[in-house]
């Protein structure tokens, strides 16, 4: 809020301020992606008893910067039989779709994005553009592997949206709000007020809710893994079957764009899961700024907690990637339709009954 | 001209141009992606009218659901048959007569209706009042629509199962 007010005073127009503000998450996202790629390589190296990148900078932390420099210089190849306009638009559409979600994510109480009332629904809607972009890239490449990867990805994302929405619905029944900002503000002051511990419901309700909230959290985390095409659900880009899935034909900066979109998506789903269940930008205990009387410190602390929770869940995604084997296509669909959706429905029903009590 | 007018004309142009492209391109995949742009433009117009819920549901249902299914079908059949699907223009005369009549009717209504303009406040949130209306006054219609969708699902499954 503070940043938006500051910008609208500076430019004298709310529309212009909103336009400028929409670039702010990018300032966070690009360094995050650089860091996360390095972290992923280090984590995988650690888990496989290797050293990982260690040449560029201390512990190789500049490796991704060097990689980006390399990707910028690379020749931009478009296969002869590819559909050129769609091939060029696809990376932009995929990144735009994943960046769209950041419009609804509050980073701290000083920066709440657009703060729309329907934030959770908006994020579900934004993922449709990612799917359309992936299908576009896969089809325009004119490559069997790309098309297979894209079609698998679309089937997967569309299926796993259902358990996600069901869990979101059960949270909405409890909190009565679809806005991520309001959700985060509700879970203030202590980790005991987080939705995963039953939110701010009365004590008896809270105790009844906790196990079902944990089930909901696990379901939404599994389906968010599937929505960002991460292992164990990475069949759209399964290296051993499909070369690199929908982005097989891409090189240079277009490939980097897909990569950036993937890491932006990973952070977005982590931030959303933490905003729904784990208090978003709220600290698990009080704020240092409030204790020592420095009010201006509180938003910065909130940003720290937001980033810490997000990066922690990104780390868990990497951890799972290097631990679990990949699911087959039929297993993936069976997991969604035969297990997650029925469990999510029953969970929704039980949470509804507890909330009415 | 205020800046909201500019935004309106931006979305209106996107909607109209992409809708034109949907019917005029030969390549069916281009049509599908232009349809996505049309849905996006319409959603933008809804947002400008203060109907945020309608805009987002438009994106979820049409872009996230129906468009993906269309693309899915087109891409699979297009590649499996090994030949590109091109649309062509047939039955020009009956089509233009029908469309001319329809456009005439719409235009006549548009010109002859006595439009009332009332200045109201933008509702801060539409979802609560919408939910109350759906669950109280229109509950029967709402439930019937649910049953209708269920019938469609069962029908699709039974057609697909038939050997």
């Amino acid at each position: 809020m503070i940043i938006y007010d500051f910008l609208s005073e500076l430019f004298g127009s709310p529309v212009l301020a909103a336009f400028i503000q929409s670039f702010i998450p990018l300032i966070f996202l690009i360094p995050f992606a650089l860091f996360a790629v390095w972290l992923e390589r280090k984590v995988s190296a650690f888990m496989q008893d290797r050293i990982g990148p260690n040449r560029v900078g201390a512990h190789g932390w500049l490796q991704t910067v060097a990689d980006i420099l390399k990707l910028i210089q690379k020749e931009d190849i478009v296969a002869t039989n590819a559909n050129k306009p769609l091939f060029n638009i696809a990376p932009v559409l995929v990144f735009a779709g994943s960046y769209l979600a950041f419009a609804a994510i509050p980073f701290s109480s000083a920066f709440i994005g657009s703060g729309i009332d329907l934030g959770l629904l908006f994020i579900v809607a934004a993922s449709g553009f990612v799917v359309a972009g992936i299908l576009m890239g896969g089809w325009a490449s004119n490559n069997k592997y790309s098309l297979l990867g894209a079609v698998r990805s679309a089937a997967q994302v569309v299926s796993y949206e259902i358990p996600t929405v069901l869990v979101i619905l059960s949270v909405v029944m409890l909190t009565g709000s679809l806005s991520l900002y309001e959700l985060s503000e509700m879970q203030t002051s202590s980790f005991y007020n987080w939705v995963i511990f039953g939110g701010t419901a009365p004590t008896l309700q809270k105790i009844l809710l906790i196990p079902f909230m944990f089930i909901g959290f696990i379901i939404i985390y599994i389906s968010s893994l599937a929505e960002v095409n991460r292992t164990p659900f990475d069949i759209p880009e399964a290296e051993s079957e499909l070369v690199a899935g929908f982005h097989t034909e891409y090189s240079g900066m277009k490939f980097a764009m897909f990569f950036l979109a993937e890491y932006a998506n990973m952070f977005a789903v982590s931030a959303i899961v933490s905003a729904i269940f784990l208090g978003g930008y709220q600290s698990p205990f009080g704020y240092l700024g409030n204790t020592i009387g420095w009010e201006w410190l509180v938003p910065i602390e909130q940003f720290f907690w937001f980033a810490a929770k997000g990066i922690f869940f990104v780390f868990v995604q990497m951890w799972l990637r290097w631990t679990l084997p990949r699911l087959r296509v039929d297993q993936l669909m069976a997991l969604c339709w035969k297990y997650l959706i029925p469990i999510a429905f029953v969970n929704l029903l039980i949470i509804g009954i507890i909330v009415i009590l | 001209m205020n800046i909201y007018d500019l935004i309106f004309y931006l979305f209106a142009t996107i909607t109209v141009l992409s809708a034109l492209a949907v019917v005029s391109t030969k390549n069916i995949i281009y049509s599908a992606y232009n349809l996505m742009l049309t849905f996006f433009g319409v959603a933008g117009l809804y947002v400008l009218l203060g109907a945020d819920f309608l805009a987002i549901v438009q994106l979820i249902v049409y872009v996230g659901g129906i468009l993906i299914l269309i693309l899915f079908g087109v891409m699979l059949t297009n590649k499996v048959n090994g030949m590109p699907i091109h649309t062509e223009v047939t039955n020009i005369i009956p089509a233009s007569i029908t469309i001319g009549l329809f456009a005439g009717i719409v235009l006549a209504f548009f010109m002859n209706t006595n439009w009332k303009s009332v200045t109201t406040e933008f509702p801060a949130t539409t979802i609560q009042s919408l939910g109350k209306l759906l669950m109280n006054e229109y509950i029967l219609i709402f439930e019937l629509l649910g049953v209708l969708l269920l019938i469609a699902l069962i029908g699709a499954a039974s057609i697909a199962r038939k050997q």
Side-chain angles (χ1 to χ4, degrees):
Chain A
M1 282 301 233
I2 298 169
I3 290 178
Y4 177 72
D5 290 341
F6 170 73
L7 282 174
S8 56
E9 224 166 85
L10 191 67
F11 295 104
S13 146
V15 177
L16 198 62
F19 186 71
I20 305 280
Q21 195 198 9
S22 65
F23 289 98
I24 293 178
L26 207 59
I27 302 171
F28 170 75
L29 218 55
I30 289 173
F32 164 77
L34 291 178
F35 169 72
V37 174
W38 171 78
L39 185 71
E40 170 122 51
R41 296 176 68 173
K42 273 297 190 191
V43 167
S44 70
F46 181 71
M47 288 188 182
Q48 297 168 344
D49 217 0
R50 292 183 286 116
I51 295 172
N54 68 341
R55 294 286 154 179
V56 196
H59 296 283
W61 69 277
L62 279 173
Q63 181 66 47
T64 30
V65 180
D67 283 345
I68 286 292
L69 287 177
K70 180 196 75 178
L71 283 172
I72 289 172
Q73 295 171 47
K74 268 188 142 179
E75 187 191 352
D76 180 43
I77 299 169
V78 183
T80 324
N81 282 327
N83 187 313
K84 210 167 175 192
L86 291 187
F87 188 84
N88 290 334
I89 296 169
V92 183
L93 186 61
V94 170
F95 181 70
S98 39
Y99 192 60
L100 213 55
F102 283 87
I105 297 176
F107 280 60
S108 97
S109 61
F111 183 78
I112 61 165
S114 71
I116 60 173
D117 291 317
L118 300 164
L120 284 168
L121 275 183
F122 176 78
I123 287 164
V124 175
S127 72
F129 286 101
V130 179
V131 183
I134 287 176
L135 274 175
M136 189 190 264
W139 185 82
S141 301
N142 197 13
N143 176 326
K144 287 189 186 73
Y145 296 124
S146 297
L147 185 70
L148 263 178
V151 169
R152 279 179 176 191
S153 168
Q156 174 177 330
V157 176
V158 170
S159 310
Y160 277 85
E161 240 165 43
I162 300 167
T164 312
V165 173
L166 286 175
V167 173
I168 286 175
L169 207 58
S170 52
V171 171
V172 169
M173 280 197 303
L174 178 67
T175 59
S177 170
L178 277 166
S179 154
L180 281 167
Y181 172 63
E182 274 176 36
L183 268 174
S184 309
E185 282 296 305
M186 254 176 236
Q187 309 176 45
T188 182
S189 76
S190 148
F191 67 89
Y192 197 56
N193 283 335
W194 288 356
V195 169
I196 196 166
F197 295 115
T200 45
T203 316
L204 182 65
Q205 243 183 29
K206 225 171 150 76
I207 292 165
L208 284 173
L209 275 173
I210 288 174
F212 301 107
M213 281 299 165
F214 267 89
I215 294 174
F217 172 73
I218 292 165
I219 291 173
I220 204 173
Y221 196 76
I222 293 174
S223 33
S224 75
L225 272 180
E227 284 200 35
V228 293
N229 302 330
R230 296 286 297 181
T231 324
F233 308 107
D234 68 337
I235 56 160
E237 43 195 283
E239 292 92 344
S240 47
E241 304 166 24
L242 294 179
V243 191
F246 60 88
H247 54 62
T248 304
E249 295 285 344
Y250 284 89
S251 66
M253 275 319 279
K254 286 177 200 155
F255 171 74
M257 202 98 171
F258 274 125
F259 225 63
L260 182 62
E262 184 181 335
Y263 280 85
N265 248 334
M266 277 165 69
F267 187 79
V269 294
S270 305
I272 292 158
V273 167
S274 75
I276 296 174
F277 279 104
L278 298 168
Y281 55 72
Q282 300 285 1
S283 146
F285 27 84
Y287 292 106
L288 185 68
N290 282 337
T291 317
I292 56 174
W294 291 357
E295 292 294 328
W296 54 267
L297 199 64
V298 174
I300 300 168
E301 274 182 75
Q302 285 174 336
F303 176 69
F304 165 75
W305 285 110
F306 170 81
K309 284 171 191 170
I311 290 171
F312 174 73
F313 282 117
V314 170
F315 168 71
V316 175
Q317 288 179 355
M318 292 171 183
W319 183 5
L320 290 173
R321 174 169 178 187
W322 299 103
T323 310
L324 297 175
R326 179 182 306 132
L327 266 70
R328 268 196 335 254
V329 182
D330 59 321
Q331 289 170 334
L332 180 105
M333 287 298 161
L335 176 69
C336 177
W337 292 97
K338 288 188 184 161
Y339 299 98
L340 288 185
I341 291 178
I343 294 172
F345 259 118
V346 172
N347 205 33
L348 177 77
L349 212 67
I350 293 171
I351 289 173
I353 291 168
I354 295 173
V355 170
I356 291 172
L357 282 180
Chain B
M1 190 150 58
N2 108 19
I3 192 150
Y4 290 100
D5 290 340
L6 269 180
I7 298 172
F8 167 79
Y9 285 116
L10 178 73
F11 279 116
T13 324
I14 290 176
T15 312
V16 172
L17 286 185
S18 60
L20 259 178
V22 171
V23 289
S24 60
T25 51
K26 296 268 185 229
N27 189 328
I28 197 160
I29 296 276
Y30 287 177
S31 294
Y33 279 110
N34 277 308
L35 197 61
M36 182 180 84
L37 265 184
T38 316
F39 291 143
F40 176 74
V42 173
L45 293 180
Y46 284 150
V47 171
L48 280 179
L49 290 171
D52 49 356
F53 182 70
L54 197 58
I56 289 171
V57 168
Q58 159 100 3
L59 289 185
I60 292 178
V61 173
Y62 287 101
V63 176
I66 291 174
L67 186 88
I68 301 296
L69 275 181
I70 292 176
L71 283 172
F72 220 84
V74 169
M75 283 177 182
L76 281 178
T77 47
N78 203 356
K79 289 282 168 175
V80 169
N81 293 344
M83 55 187 212
I85 297 174
H86 284 295
T87 49
E88 39 182 319
V89 183
T90 51
N91 298 335
I92 293 178
I93 297 165
S96 38
I97 291 171
T98 326
I99 286 168
L101 271 176
F102 182 70
I105 291 168
V106 170
L107 202 67
F109 271 111
F110 179 73
M111 300 302 245
N112 294 327
T113 310
N114 186 16
W115 297 103
K116 284 179 190 156
S117 66
V118 183
T119 40
T120 47
E121 287 281 302
F122 266 114
T125 168
T126 54
I127 186 164
Q128 267 146 358
S129 42
L130 265 177
K132 275 179 189 150
L133 278 178
L134 276 181
M135 281 295 146
N136 292 313
E137 281 179 43
Y138 300 105
I139 181 79
L140 187 66
I141 300 168
F142 186 65
E143 292 291 327
L144 280 178
L145 278 177
V147 174
L148 183 73
L149 285 176
L150 187 68
I151 292 171
L153 260 179
I154 295 171
S158 71
I159 290 170
R161 275 174 73 96
K162 194 172 64 188
Q163 299 299 323

